[in-house]
């Protein structure tokens, strides 16, 4: 099936939600608003992959995030092949009041030589929609002298000057486990940013199996 609802996020006031259906015949994401007058959820829009809208191999919607006002959303496409096999991408949209913007496309800032970084395995937005974290859960990170495979990395972004920028000096967080395959942010809720954007928590799928704050 489409697995609609496998990945969902809701705003703090409970009036807006986003849901991914990354396993459908074509991967899509749905944004809903709550109408208090009718006590009904109303679909505002359907979002699809900007270049491959009728495909489902890129897992567009495998992770989703929404700002508290419902006007900024982020969508992970963890198996997006545009930059390389399963390198992944993330897409950020803003709502003008009547339509969604063309997406800002985020690719892995440090693509590795091997495929399958799975950038976009997790996305999370701050409440005001100006800070974003994106996990590349199977990026090979140099935390060991040899065989540092699939440890993962989490990248942090901030919206300023009209565009999304990598935050410096703390642009990324690499896995520090003692064995391979820590896979930081492997699943859709594998890392999160606080609503005020000041704190990040990151989970390791394997490795030493811990959360990092």
């Amino acid at each position: 099936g489409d697995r609609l609802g496998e990945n969902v996020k809701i705003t703090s006031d409970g009036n807006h939600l986003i849901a991914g259906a990354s396993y459908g015949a074509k991967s899509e994401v749905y944004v809903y608003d709550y109408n208090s007058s009718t006590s009904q959820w109303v679909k505002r829009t359907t979002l699809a992959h900007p270049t491959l809208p009728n495909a489902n191999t890129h897992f567009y919607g495998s992770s989703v995030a929404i700002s508290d006002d419902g006007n900024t959303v982020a969508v992970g496409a963890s198996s997006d092949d545009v930059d390389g096999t399963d390198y992944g991408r993330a897409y950020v949209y803003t709502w003008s009041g009547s339509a969604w913007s063309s997406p800002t496309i985020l690719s892995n800032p440090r693509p590795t030589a091997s495929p399958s970084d799975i950038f976009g395995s997790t996305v999370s937005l701050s409440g005001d929609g100006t800070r974003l974290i994106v996990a590349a859960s199977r990026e090979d990170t140099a935390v060991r002298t040899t065989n540092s495979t699939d440890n993962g990395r989490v990248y942090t972004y901030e919206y300023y000057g009209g565009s999304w920028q990598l935050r410096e000096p703390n642009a990324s967080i690499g896995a520090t486990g003692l064995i391979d395959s820590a896979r930081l942010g492997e699943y859709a809720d594998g890392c999160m940013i606080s609503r005020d954007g000041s704190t990040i928590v990151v989970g390791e799928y394997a490795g030493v199996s811990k959360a990092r704050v």
Side-chain angles (χ1 to χ4, degrees), residues 57-198:
T57 55
H58 40 64
F59 292 132
Y60 176 89
S62 54
S63 58
V64 293
I66 188 168
S67 63
D68 278 342
D69 63 5
N71 291 334
T72 303
V73 301
V75 179
S78 58
S79 293
D80 198 308
D81 293 333
V82 176
D83 297 318
T85 303
D86 290 344
Y87 269 40
R89 276 185 168 184
Y91 299 88
V92 186
Y93 304 79
T94 55
W95 178 254
S96 68
S98 59
W100 291 101
S101 66
S102 297
T104 296
I105 299 171
L106 300 176
S107 299
N108 192 339
R110 298 186 190 176
T112 54
S114 60
S116 303
D117 285 346
I118 316 294
F119 183 82
S121 56
T122 305
V123 294
S124 182
L125 278 165
S126 60
D128 64 4
T130 63
R131 290 185 175 178
L132 169 71
I133 56 175
V134 183
S137 65
R138 301 190 191 186
E139 181 180 322
D140 298 341
T141 55
V143 297
R144 300 174 62 198
T145 55
T146 60
N147 300 323
S148 295
T149 57
D150 291 351
N151 275 309
R153 190 179 296 275
V154 176
Y155 294 93
T156 68
Y157 297 84
E158 187 160 14
Y159 187 82
Y160 65 89
S163 63
W164 286 97
Q165 305 288 336
L166 269 175
R167 293 185 67 192
E168 298 290 354
N170 300 311
S172 60
I173 305 165
T176 56
L178 298 180
I179 64 174
D180 293 337
S181 301
R183 297 187 182 181
L184 285 183
E186 173 79 356
Y187 293 113
D189 290 324
C191 62
M192 299 185 73
I193 189 168
S194 60
R195 302 316 284 171
D196 66 1
S198 65

